[in-house]
C-alpha cells in the first residue's frame, strides 16, 4: 500500500502546470457568500466502515457552523467526494477540490497510503489539510494539521497500562502495511521502556481470512497479552476464530484500531467481550460536553445514527479546529490559518480539551483506555493532555518551514 515519492511526482496529479501552483481559494471566496471545504473519505469499498462515519461527523460539523451563522459571515459548503477505498482517488479529487471547487480546506484520505498520496497535492495548491484519522505519527510539514491521535499519544498510554496490568510478554499481530509496521516499532520502544518483551511481530495481508495458523503460533508462544493491529473487514475473522478456539477469556487482547471499524457492532459479544482499546473519544463518555454533543447530533443527524467512535470523531474535530483557526485569524487564507494554529488554540470538544501544538502541527489531548462488554464501552483509565511526539525536536515546522521529512520512532 506504500506509494513512492517518485511515483507521486510522475503522476499527472502532482505535475500540474507551475502557473497554477499556489493558493487558488482566495479570489473565489472573497466576493462570495459561501466557502467550500472538501472531504475525501471512502464512502464505498472496503474502507467505508471507517470513512462513512467520519464523513457523517464532518457533515454535522458543517451544520453546526452554519446554524451558528457560518464563518466570517459566510455559509460553509461541504463538497464530499467518495474515494471508493482507492488510494489513487485521493490525489485526483484533491486536485479537483483545489482547482474546480476552490476549497479553502480539505479533510479525509484516511489511510496512510491515501494520506501520503494526497498530501503533496494539497501542499502544492496550498489547501490546508486537516487530517482527522488516528495514525502512526511522523507527518511533519506546514500544510498538514493532525487533529486525532498519533503514534505515541495512543499506543504509549495503552502499552504503559498493559505492561503494568496484563503482564510483560506481548505478541503483536497486524495487517501488513505501513501504519501497523510503525505501530509495531512502538511495541519495541515501550517494551524496552517498561521492562517487557515482544515475543513476535506477525504480519498478514489485508485480505487474509484464515487465522488458524496464526492462532496456533500465539498459543505456542504463550504471551501475557496480544496487541492486535488487524485492519479491515477480512480481519474480523481473527476475532471469530480466536473466540471459537476458546481463547478470548484466556489471553487478553489490546488494540489501537479495534472498534474504529464498528467491530463490536458487527461481531457478537461472545467474540469481543473484554478487549481493551485506547481512543481519545468513545460515545459512552460520561461528561456534560459529550452528552450535549450527542443530543445535538441526534437532533440533526437522526437518533439511529451510526456509533461515533474515536476514528469517526476526527471528522468533527477537524472542521471545528479549522473553524477556530479561521475565527482567530479573521481570515480563510492558508497562511493566516496556519499562524492561528501555531499561536496555540484551546478548544473544548466532546472528547474534552484539545490544544493545537504549533511546532508539530498536532494536538494535545486526552486519551482513554476503555473495555468492551456486551457491545458497550466502559472507561478504565484516562491519560490527561497527552502531548504529540516531537521526535526529539526533529519535528518543528516553525523553525524549519520547508520540512516535509517523514519521521519514525527511535528504537
Amino acid at each position: 500500500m506504500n506509494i513512492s515519492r517518485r511515483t507521486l511526482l510522475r503522476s499527472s496529479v502532482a505535475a500540474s502546470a507551475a502557473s497554477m501552483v499556489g493558493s487558488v481559494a482566495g479570489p473565489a471566496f472573497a466576493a462570495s457568500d459561501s466557502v467550500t471545504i472538501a472531504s475525501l473519505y471512502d464512502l464505498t469499498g472496503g474502507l467505508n466502515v471507517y470513512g462513512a462515519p467520519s464523513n457523517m461527523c464532518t457533515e454535522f460539523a458543517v451544520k453546526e457552523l452554519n446554524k451558528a451563522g457560518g464563518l466570517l459571515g459566510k455559509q460553509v459548503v461541504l463538497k464530499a467526494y467518495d474515494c471508493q477505498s482507492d488510494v489513487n482517488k485521493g490525489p485526483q479529487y484533491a486536485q479537483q477540490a483545489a482547482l474546480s471547487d476552490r476549497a479553502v480546506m480539505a479533510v479525509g484520505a484516511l489511510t496512510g497510503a491515501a494520506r501520503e498520496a494526497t498530501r503533496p497535492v494539497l501542499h502544492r495548491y496550498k489547501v490546508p489539510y486537516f487530517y482527522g484519522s488516528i495514525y502512526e505519527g511522523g507527518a511533519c510539514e506546514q500544510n498538514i494539521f493532525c487533529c486525532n491521535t498519533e503514534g505515541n499519544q495512543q499506543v504509549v498510554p495503552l502499552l504503559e497500562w498493559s505492561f503494568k496490568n496484563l503482564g510483560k510478554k506481548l505478541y503483536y499481530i497486524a495487517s501488513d502495511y505501513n501504519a501497523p509496521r510503525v505501530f509495531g516499532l512502538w511495541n519495541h520502544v515501550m517494551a524496552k521502556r517498561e521492562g517487557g518483551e515482544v515475543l513476535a511481530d506477525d504480519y498478514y495481508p489485508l485480505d487474509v481470512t484464515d487465522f488458524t495458523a496464526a492462532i496456533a503460533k500465539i498459543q505456542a508462544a504463550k504471551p501475557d497479552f496480544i496487541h492486535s493491529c488487524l485492519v479491515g473487514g477480512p480481519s474480523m475473522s481473527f476475532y471469530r476464530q480466536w473466540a471459537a478456539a476458546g481463547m478470548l477469556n484466556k489471553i487478553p487482547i489490546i488494540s489501537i484500531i479495534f472498534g474504529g471499524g464498528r467491530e463490536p457492532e458487527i461481531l457478537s459479544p461472545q467474540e469481543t467481550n473484554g478487549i481493551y482499546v485506547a481512543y481519545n473519544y468513545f460515545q459512552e463518555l460520561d461528561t456534560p460536553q459529550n452528552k450535549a454533543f450527542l443530543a445535538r447530533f441526534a437532533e440533526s443527524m437522526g437518533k439511529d445514527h451510526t456509533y461515533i467512535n474515536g476514528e469517526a470523531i476526527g471528522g468533527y474535530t477537524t472542521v471545528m479546529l479549522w473553524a477556530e483557526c479561521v475565527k482567530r485569524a479573521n481570515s480563510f487564507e492558508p497562511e493566516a490559518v496556519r499562524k492561528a494554529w501555531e499561536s496555540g488554540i484551546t478548544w473544548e470538544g466532546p472528547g474534552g480539551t484539545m490544544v493545537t501544538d504549533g511546532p508539530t502541527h498536532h494536538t494535545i489531548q486526552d486519551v482513554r483506555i476503555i473495555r468492551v462488554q456486551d457491545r458497550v464501552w466502559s472507561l478504565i483509565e484516562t491519560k490527561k493532555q497527552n502531548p504529540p511526539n516531537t521526535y526529539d525536536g526533529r519535528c518543528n515546522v516553525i523553525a524549519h518551514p520547508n520540512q516535509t521529512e517523514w519521521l519514525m520512532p527511535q528504537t
Side-chain angles (χ1 to χ4, degrees):
M1 295 182 67
N2 291 328
I3 294 180
S4 70
R5 181 177 294 273
R6 182 175 296 176
T7 301
L8 286 171
L9 292 175
R10 286 177 176 174
S11 72
S12 60
V13 171
S16 299
S19 62
M20 303 183 76
V21 174
S23 177
V24 298
F29 68 71
S32 173
D33 60 359
S34 66
V35 291
T36 298
I37 67 174
S39 72
L40 307 170
Y41 286 111
D42 303 295
L43 306 182
T44 58
L47 295 172
N48 77 322
V49 71
Y50 306 103
S54 296
N55 191 71
M56 173 185 66
C57 289
T58 299
E59 290 179 1
F60 175 62
V62 171
K63 287 185 177 183
E64 287 231 291
L65 291 177
N66 289 333
K67 186 176 180 180
L71 283 175
L72 307 187
K74 300 179 187 294
Q75 291 287 286
V76 180
V77 176
L78 175 63
K79 179 62 181 289
Y81 288 94
D82 178 10
C83 287
Q84 304 166 42
S85 303
D86 179 353
V87 70
N88 298 306
K89 297 293 186 184
Q92 174 188 331
Y93 291 146
Q95 178 171 282
Q96 190 170 333
L99 299 180
S100 298
D101 303 326
R102 299 295 195 266
V104 296
M105 66 89 83
V107 300
L110 59 85
T111 67
R115 181 192 64 247
E116 291 309 294
T118 303
R119 184 162 64 107
V121 179
L122 295 173
H123 179 91
R124 172 176 288 266
Y125 293 113
K126 297 183 180 178
V127 177
Y129 183 15
F130 278 70
Y131 185 61
S133 294
I134 61 172
Y135 90 113
E136 66 274 23
C140 191
E141 70 155 78
Q142 279 197 339
N143 197 59
I144 191 169
F145 306 84
C146 298
C147 303
N148 213 319
T149 49
E150 53 104 2
N152 79 306
Q153 291 175 309
Q154 194 178 12
V155 73
V156 169
L158 182 59
L159 287 175
E160 282 179 345
W161 182 88
S162 299
F163 281 125
K164 179 180 178 181
N165 293 279
L166 302 179
K168 297 298 184 182
K169 296 180 179 179
L170 174 157
Y171 191 106
Y172 187 54
I173 182 169
S175 298
D176 193 6
Y177 69 98
N178 183 63
R181 285 192 172 271
V182 176
F183 280 122
L185 294 177
W186 280 109
N187 290 329
H188 292 271
V189 171
M190 293 306 299
K192 183 178 180 181
R193 188 182 303 177
E194 300 295 322
E197 179 183 3
V198 179
L199 299 180
D201 295 289
D202 205 5
Y203 294 96
Y204 294 88
L206 284 161
D207 59 353
V208 168
T209 58
D210 185 356
F211 290 93
T212 305
I215 291 171
K217 288 165 64 177
I218 296 170
Q219 290 171 320
K222 298 180 180 179
D224 292 318
F225 63 97
I226 298 166
H227 181 190
S228 169
C229 197
L230 294 167
V231 177
S235 70
M236 291 192 196
S237 299
F238 169 78
Y239 301 103
R240 289 196 174 102
Q241 293 163 23
W242 181 254
M247 297 301 297
L248 186 61
N249 297 318
K250 294 182 179 180
I251 302 177
I253 297 175
I254 68 167
S255 180
I256 49 82
I257 191 64
F258 180 89
R262 297 173 55 205
E263 288 89 345
E265 299 172 64
I266 297 169
L267 298 168
S268 72
Q270 293 73 30
E271 294 165 333
T272 61
N273 279 346
I275 294 178
Y276 298 92
V277 303
Y279 284 112
N280 58 359
Y281 177 84
F282 65 111
Q283 194 169 285
E284 294 89 342
L285 183 61
D286 187 13
T287 63
Q289 296 97 324
N290 186 46
K291 289 179 179 178
F293 165 78
L294 291 174
R296 299 194 311 272
F297 198 99
E299 181 181 0
S300 178
M301 308 302 288
K303 293 182 179 180
D304 59 346
H305 62 78
T306 299
Y307 183 90
I308 305 170
N309 54 38
E311 173 68 24
I313 198 65
Y316 180 78
T317 55
T318 46
V319 176
M320 302 309 282
L321 285 170
W322 165 76
E324 291 298 309
C325 291
V326 169
K327 292 174 188 176
R328 177 167 293 189
N330 195 34
S331 173
F332 295 102
E333 290 292 345
E335 184 74 3
V337 168
R338 177 182 65 79
K339 289 181 178 179
W341 177 287
E342 291 173 358
S343 71
I345 292 174
T346 299
W347 175 70
E348 294 294 331
T353 302
M354 299 183 75
V355 182
T356 63
D357 183 72
T360 66
H361 277 205
H362 286 64
T363 55
I364 302 165
Q365 56 187 296
D366 296 342
V367 174
R368 281 96 181 176
I369 297 168
I370 57 179
R371 180 180 184 270
V372 69
Q373 186 70 30
D374 297 329
R375 293 180 170 149
V376 176
W377 292 99
S378 59
L379 179 65
I380 301 299
E381 186 171 302
T382 299
K383 302 285 187 177
K384 301 290 288 186
Q385 294 299 281
N386 295 269
N389 195 358
T390 67
Y391 293 88
D392 297 320
R394 289 179 292 147
C395 182
N396 190 326
V397 301
I398 298 175
H400 308 289
N402 296 319
Q403 182 169 351
T404 58
E405 178 188 4
W406 182 263
L407 301 173
M408 299 284 281
Q410 300 294 311
T411 58

